Amino acid sequence: MATIHELPRLPATELDSDRSYQKLAASIAALITEGEFKVGDRLPSERALADRFSVSRTLVREAIIVLEIQGNVEVRGGSGIYVCAPASGAVAPASAYTLSPGPGPFELLRARCLIEAEIAAVAAESRKDSDLDRIYSALAEMRENMHDKEANEAADRLFHLRIAESTGNSVLLQMVTAVWDHTKAPIWSQLEAHFHTPALRRASQDDHQRVFTALLERDADAARKAMRAHIERVISEFAQAWR
């Protein structure tokens, strides 16, 4: 099995102009097919793969999730990522790694950080008392369903949509709705399976409470910072070591 020090940097390829996680997943799968990484081998670290392909570690993580969904690798928390034998015995075509035309989870979260932080600031200044009632109702549903992942996620989504709705701008609401619709993709669900825990839900509840308090006080700057801090913390959680 190749070690970190033995990994050569790949020459310029099509990957250089297409940094999608799907393309990266297909490239890593090709190395498995070609025999560089054999069944049972532990893949190099995310850092080593990121260096080899000249991409970010978060892009590598998204690619690994795709490979996991396709059955090419198994993620063993605290141990590493291991190559698996294809269930069918057949090699999947490159197109198999394009699970959806949408963005990867980290790209999505970074976009949310920019968009929703500003929307929260606008909402703090434009919201009505009736908007606050609807936002609080979603916040209360999150708290009541702390141990019900699906119900908690539904209330989480509603909380963010209610904030966008309170701006009175239908385009902003459509944008937030579209962004959240991407979280229905298989890659998002698989990533959450590794990192979405009850502790994460509790921390998110506290984050949302800070956002709500800023909206209540009509403090645009505090609302912006609270929303940004919330999403940045989620990014950090999803980027930490495999569990």
Side-chain angles (χ1 to χ4, degrees):
M1 180 183 73
T3 65
I4 292 176
H5 297 295
E6 295 170 344
L7 289 175
R9 182 179 291 277
L10 294 184
T13 65
E14 186 180 351
L15 184 65
D16 295 331
S17 59
D18 182 356
R19 295 181 182 273
S20 70
Y21 64 92
Q22 297 103 325
K23 187 72 176 182
L24 180 58
S27 296
I28 296 173
L31 297 180
I32 295 173
T33 301
E34 293 162 5
E36 181 169 339
F37 304 122
K38 298 179 175 58
V39 173
D41 281 354
R42 181 162 63 91
L43 288 183
S45 68
E46 289 179 339
R47 184 184 296 279
L49 289 171
D51 182 63
R52 179 173 186 176
F53 288 98
S54 298
V55 298
S56 68
R57 289 179 66 184
T58 54
L59 197 72
V60 171
R61 172 150 300 184
E62 291 169 340
I64 293 300
I65 289 290
V66 173
L67 293 172
E68 184 183 27
I69 292 172
Q70 292 296 341
N72 295 98
V73 302
E74 177 187 359
V75 176
R76 302 177 190 172
S79 177
I81 304 158
Y82 293 82
V83 178
C84 299
S88 64
V91 177
S95 60
Y97 300 96
T98 305
L99 299 178
S100 73
F106 290 99
E107 183 180 11
L108 184 66
L109 284 166
R110 292 186 189 104
R112 282 189 56 204
C113 197
L114 291 171
I115 296 168
E116 293 197 52
E118 292 307 314
I119 286 176
V122 173
E125 297 177 336
S126 64
R127 60 80 176 164
K128 300 180 179 65
D129 288 347
S130 57
D131 294 318
L132 277 181
D133 290 341
R134 286 189 287 271
I135 295 169
Y136 182 79
S137 177
L139 182 64
E141 283 185 37
M142 287 182 63
R143 185 183 303 108
E144 292 165 5
N145 292 287
M146 193 64 65
H147 301 292
D148 184 334
K149 183 175 180 294
E150 290 187 6
N152 183 271
E153 288 177 350
D156 187 358
R157 171 192 170 99
L158 185 60
F159 177 84
H160 289 269
L161 295 185
R162 291 302 193 202
I163 292 174
E165 186 179 49
S166 72
T167 66
N169 187 316
S170 63
V171 176
L172 294 179
L173 176 59
Q174 289 170 11
M175 289 175 63
V176 175
T177 301
V179 167
W180 272 81
D181 281 348
H182 283 301
T183 63
K184 300 173 183 177
I187 186 173
W188 182 272
S189 299
Q190 190 69 18
L191 185 64
E192 283 198 326
H194 286 287
F195 300 101
H196 195 129
T197 63
L200 177 61
R201 289 197 288 277
R202 288 192 294 271
S204 291
Q205 185 72 31
D206 293 339
D207 289 347
H208 286 76
Q209 182 63 56
R210 282 187 281 272
V211 173
F212 180 80
T213 298
L215 296 176
L216 179 65
E217 296 175 351
R218 294 193 182 275
D219 189 332
D221 189 51
R224 179 188 294 110
K225 290 178 179 177
M227 184 65 79
R228 182 182 297 125
H230 164 54
I231 300 174
E232 286 178 345
R233 188 185 50 71
V234 174
I235 292 173
S236 178
E237 287 282 339
F238 284 3
Q240 64 180 273
W242 293 101
R243 297 168 182 167

